[in-house]
Amino acid sequence: MTANSLIISNSGLQAATIRVPDPLARSAAVGARRQPRSSPREVTRGESPPAVAKKDGGAIVDWLSFTFPAEHLHGDGVLALRNELEAATGCKYYIEETNGKYGFTTGYRFYAVRWVGATPTCVPFCEYAFGGESQQGRAYVSITGAGCSLVSDWNVVHRFLHLVQARITRVDLAVDFMNGEFDLERARAAYIDGLFKNGGRQPGANFVDDLNTGSGKTLYIGNRTNGKVTRIYEKGKQLGNPDSKWTRFETELHNRDRHIPFDIVIRPSDYWVGQHKISENLIDAAAERIKTLTSEQEITIERLRRYLRLAYGRLLHVIRLTDGDNFNAEQVFKELEMHGIPRRLEKTALHFLNTGQPAPVPIGATHAN
């Protein structure tokens, strides 16, 4: 092992090495990227000092994709990545081999696993892919929104990005307003007033109206093909509560003509503020992460209860009439109950219903659908 290597080993797993690039070579590479004619522009952050960023509130990372030289994850890269994910989330993982994508020939899907009673609950956490001549030796990781919500220590992710000399290709920063502190009407007015301009230019916009059906409106600003698009939408209504005031303000950034710094994962509020003029006046009203997860679970459960009543309410009524004096609600409930978690609740179940610790899950375990 060289001085520029780090051995990662956890839970008795096979050791795997992350190669750390020579710092002098890395500095030269960074300097080359900063040549004025060839380097992409830097993603900006807000002018507020770090102390202003709230620990539990403010912006969250809601999607993260990055590439890196596959050789920097030396040895068994799948095991090394799993160790890093366990350190960042405290979860165990099912790892399922998949077909390659985006030109990569080999792929794996990681499922975060926690136990609810005697039942393992799995949520797709990230995709990992590598191989293929067109990729020129690079590997790819993409962490979903549900996966990002499970990361308890973004410093682990930040360190990993540095160690493998990653290049962030996409990151989504989101802020939630639970009680109408910022809504679609204010967003539309701010757009008309030029508070979403980029470099003095008004970006394109598209407004999707639900025509007061209660399914939720969305305002799109910018274009993904240009590397930056903002979505402001009625999150609570989208989840199924037509009376909800919950609005999400989300900006999706790609590395097209821009360099996305690693600090964005540990200071998301600062960078979210830097994306639009209006943002700096809104960050203090942002909800804490635990509140958004709680609201998402409450709205989803209520929606599923309505579906349950519509689908099986009459059947339960007939069972009660048929059983007459022998009707036992608890017995009927036990007969109908099934162990497991509905897919729509998998994400929040990992946060609120964890009641046990699973045994280590081997690579290649099949994820039950």
Side-chain angles (χ1 to χ4, degrees):
M1 184 180 72
T2 67
N4 289 328
S5 298
L6 173 68
I7 295 292
I8 296 180
S9 181
N10 190 26
S11 302
L13 297 175
Q14 174 183 339
T17 306
I18 292 180
R19 282 187 181 173
V20 184
D22 180 24
L24 294 179
R26 183 170 182 269
S27 297
V30 172
R33 288 199 303 270
R34 288 179 178 171
Q35 293 299 319
R37 292 188 179 181
S38 60
S39 69
R41 66 182 183 274
E42 187 88 4
V43 170
T44 59
R45 65 175 178 84
E47 296 303 319
S48 300
V52 173
K54 295 184 288 185
K55 181 178 180 181
D56 298 319
I60 58 171
V61 177
D62 200 47
W63 194 282
L64 179 66
S65 299
F66 56 91
T67 64
F68 58 92
E71 63 178 9
H72 293 169
L73 205 58
H74 190 59
D76 193 325
V78 178
L79 284 172
L81 181 59
R82 182 169 79 175
N83 292 343
E84 290 290 328
L85 297 181
E86 288 181 353
T89 65
C91 297
K92 298 296 182 180
Y93 289 87
Y94 281 117
I95 304 175
E96 177 184 64
E97 188 167 0
T98 63
N99 295 326
K101 59 188 337 183
Y102 308 132
F104 294 98
T105 56
T106 303
Y108 291 90
R109 182 174 295 117
F110 287 68
Y111 294 89
V113 183
R114 285 183 180 168
W115 287 65
V116 180
T119 305
T121 298
C122 306
V123 172
F125 184 91
C126 75
E127 300 277 351
Y128 172 49
F130 55 90
E133 291 186 12
S134 64
Q135 302 304 326
Q136 300 180 342
R138 297 193 70 81
Y140 168 80
V141 173
S142 184
I143 305 176
T144 67
C148 287
S149 75
L150 293 173
V151 176
S152 57
D153 190 353
W154 280 101
N155 286 297
V156 173
V157 179
H158 184 265
R159 178 179 61 85
F160 181 77
L161 294 173
H162 273 287
L163 287 175
V164 298
Q165 198 175 346
R167 181 171 65 227
I168 296 177
T169 57
R170 174 185 170 182
V171 63
D172 293 8
L173 303 177
V175 165
D176 292 290
F177 303 97
M178 306 304 298
N179 300 306
E181 299 92 342
F182 187 72
D183 57 19
L184 267 292
E185 290 305 313
R186 286 188 61 189
R188 293 178 65 181
Y191 175 79
I192 293 171
D193 290 341
L195 297 181
F196 288 93
K197 285 184 177 180
N198 294 318
R201 293 183 298 176
Q202 183 80 312
N206 182 32
F207 182 70
V208 179
D209 197 336
D210 67 349
L211 300 178
N212 296 321
T213 60
S215 59
K217 303 177 177 66
T218 302
L219 175 64
Y220 295 92
I221 300 172
N223 194 313
R224 184 179 283 116
T225 59
N226 296 328
K228 178 178 175 178
V229 61
T230 291
R231 293 176 292 272
I232 303 171
Y233 59 101
E234 295 173 320
K235 178 73 172 179
K237 291 181 180 180
Q238 179 199 70
L239 290 172
N241 181 357
D243 300 318
S244 175
K245 296 181 179 180
W246 179 5
T247 300
R248 171 163 286 191
F249 186 147
E250 182 175 79
T251 296
E252 176 183 328
L253 296 167
H254 292 259
N255 67 328
R256 179 168 301 185
D257 297 327
R258 59 171 53 82
H259 169 66
I260 304 176
F262 299 154
D263 279 4
I264 202 166
V265 302
I266 57 174
R267 300 176 60 188
S269 293
D270 288 346
Y271 285 93
W272 182 85
V273 165
Q275 299 311 305
H276 301 292
K277 291 180 180 179
I278 192 172
S279 302
E280 61 190 43
N281 297 321
L282 298 174
I283 193 66
D284 287 337
E288 294 179 3
R289 182 62 171 168
I290 192 67
K291 291 182 180 178
T292 65
L293 290 169
T294 301
S295 294
E296 181 172 344
Q297 177 169 271
E298 291 174 349
I299 292 172
T300 304
I301 288 178
E302 182 58 32
R303 184 180 188 182
L304 292 177
R305 287 172 71 119
R306 291 201 303 269
Y307 289 159
L308 176 65
R309 184 170 184 269
L310 289 173
Y312 300 106
R314 291 184 178 89
L315 172 60
L316 293 173
H317 177 65
V318 170
I319 290 175
R320 185 171 65 82
L321 293 177
T322 302
D323 289 352
D325 294 338
N326 296 322
F327 177 73
N328 186 317
E330 183 176 355
Q331 182 62 34
V332 171
F333 185 86
K334 288 182 178 179
E335 290 175 358
L336 297 178
E337 180 185 16
M338 293 179 61
H339 289 290
I341 303 294
R343 285 197 176 274
R344 292 182 183 180
L345 287 172
E346 283 178 337
K347 173 183 171 182
T348 54
L350 288 184
H351 290 274
F352 299 113
L353 300 180
N354 185 34
T355 59
Q357 291 295 327
V361 182
I363 288 179
T366 301
H367 173 66
N369 289 321

